[in-house]
Amino acid sequence: MAAQADYFIETQLPNHQKHYGSFTFPSILSPNPKSSPSSLSVFSEAIKFHKPFLDSLLLKSGALLFRGFPVKTAKDFNDVVEAFGFEELPYVGGAAPRTNVVGRVFTANESPPDQKIPFHHEMAQVPEFPSKLFFFCEVEPGSGGETPIVLSHIVYEKMKEKYPEFVDRLEVHGLLYTRVLGEDDDPSSPIGRGWKSTFLTSDKAVAEERAAKLGMKLEWLSNGVKTVMGPITAIKYDKSRHRKIWFNSMVAAYTGWEDARNDPVKAVTFGDGQPLPADIIYDCLKILEDECVSIPWKKGDVMLIDNLATLHSRRSFTPPRRVLASLCK
């Protein structure tokens, strides 16, 4: 196999990346047009061979976008994910309605296209979260539908500078997340995953056992179950990069956990149960929007996100759009 410079080339997308001194966010990789014609098997072998290079680039940049490679189907995407060699993380405890497509590939959040999904670290509201996640664009959106991303340590630094007392309180108390789940999935809601698919069982006793392993308390209701998670850390230390990160679902819960069963203002509080200040939450949302980058999806795109480094969201869109996902330990 040739050197990575002969197979992967870093490309630039003006107005769709941010430059931070020694690195660009995200890093965009394309096949070198001078190399031999690419096939899925060649791409998969190149990933395996150049894994140290890709790992170091992900560590530096926080997210990689692979564009122009021959990834056409969910099965192709599954092969690409497998080539990286990361262990799969079962989707237990997450809020989004998802459907298994093939192998370790699922649909991304299936909520309606007119709904935005706020910025979040994947499954930051539960103790066991993915370290990495993949997205794949199988069908380009008619319009919109981007997956904006933002570096978590930048958000932490800006919040710490602007609201030091608030951030200190978060570090001391953490956050408490509350969500009411129906029995079955509700595809009209961005947090519409029912308790049966959340805990991968239809047995309430088994659900309670799995919830307990997550540190989650359950209160059974006539039409579902109330879940309480926490207090859970809101600010983490990224040991691999030696910096603090904004690792929580605070803005997502406060501004987006809304449906027939849930009031978003009650969905997240300080770990001691005290309410969060709305003005600071919405200013944090503005910081997230100001610092993010948003690359329009193209068919065949594969994005690899380091879940400790990067928050992601979803913009509303005009159908069609089909983006698939895979979570890794």
Side-chain angles (χ1 to χ4, degrees), residues 10-25:
E10 289 193 60
T11 56
Q12 302 292 317
L13 272 180
N15 304 319
H16 292 296
Q17 292 170 289
K18 283 188 177 285
H19 302 282
Y20 296 99
S22 63
F23 70 95
T24 301
F25 175 75

